[in-house]
Amino acid sequence: QVQLVESGGGLVQPGGSLRLSCAASGSIRRINDMGWYRQAPGNQRELVAAITVSGYTNYADSAKGRFTISRDNAKITVYLQMNSLKPEDTGVYYCNQKIATIGSPQLRDYWGQGTQVTVSS
């Protein structure tokens, strides 16, 4: 059993910053890529940023230059530092981690519970 617990969302004014965290726990054998996704009302879930186990990063065009994804493999945690936030960044943010468990050696997707980010004055 694996659980991903997110924290760090909230209400922030335009131009402000937030830092999201997502920690995994459970019977973890191996971790691989991690990422953050956003789902705005009425829209599909979309990738915001991703990071490989070696630290290679990939960002949506809307996040480039403002957001930074990072990870701590020892803590099995992925972070998303969001700066210069805009109203269009509003949505529910979900973390994703590709994990193999002790009972199942194949990598599979695990998702956090989602955290609301609202950018508004």
Side-chain angles (χ1 to χ4, degrees):
Q1 189 99 11
V2 173
Q3 283 190 322
L4 270 60
V5 178
E6 300 181 28
S7 61
L11 172 65
V12 64
Q13 292 187 342
S17 298
L18 284 174
R19 187 185 193 220
L20 307 182
S21 299
C22 171
S25 62
S27 303
I28 296 170
R29 179 186 183 129
R30 181 167 62 96
I31 56 174
N32 202 280
D33 297 350
M34 299 179 176
W36 287 95
Y37 290 72
R38 174 177 61 228
Q39 188 163 20
N43 290 353
Q44 290 187 334
R45 194 175 297 187
E46 60 181 2
L47 177 68
V48 175
I51 184 167
T52 67
V53 69
S54 58
Y56 177 80
T57 58
N58 182 41
Y59 295 93
D61 287 343
S62 61
K64 289 178 181 176
R66 300 187 299 125
F67 294 3
T68 302
I69 188 170
S70 60
R71 61 191 286 166
D72 185 330
N73 291 331
K75 295 181 179 179
I76 320 178
T77 300
V78 60
Y79 306 95
L80 186 66
Q81 177 67 44
M82 302 186 293
N83 299 328
S84 303
L85 282 160
K86 305 175 181 179
E88 50 264 43
D89 295 320
T90 295
V92 179
Y93 283 70
Y94 296 90
C95 68
N96 170 271
Q97 296 193 25
K98 299 188 187 305
I99 294 172
T101 64
I102 293 173
S104 178
Q106 289 187 330
L107 290 167
R108 57 159 286 191
D109 287 312
Y110 288 87
W111 293 90
Q113 80 279 13
T115 185
Q116 177 70 44
V117 170
T118 302
V119 185
S120 175
S121 55

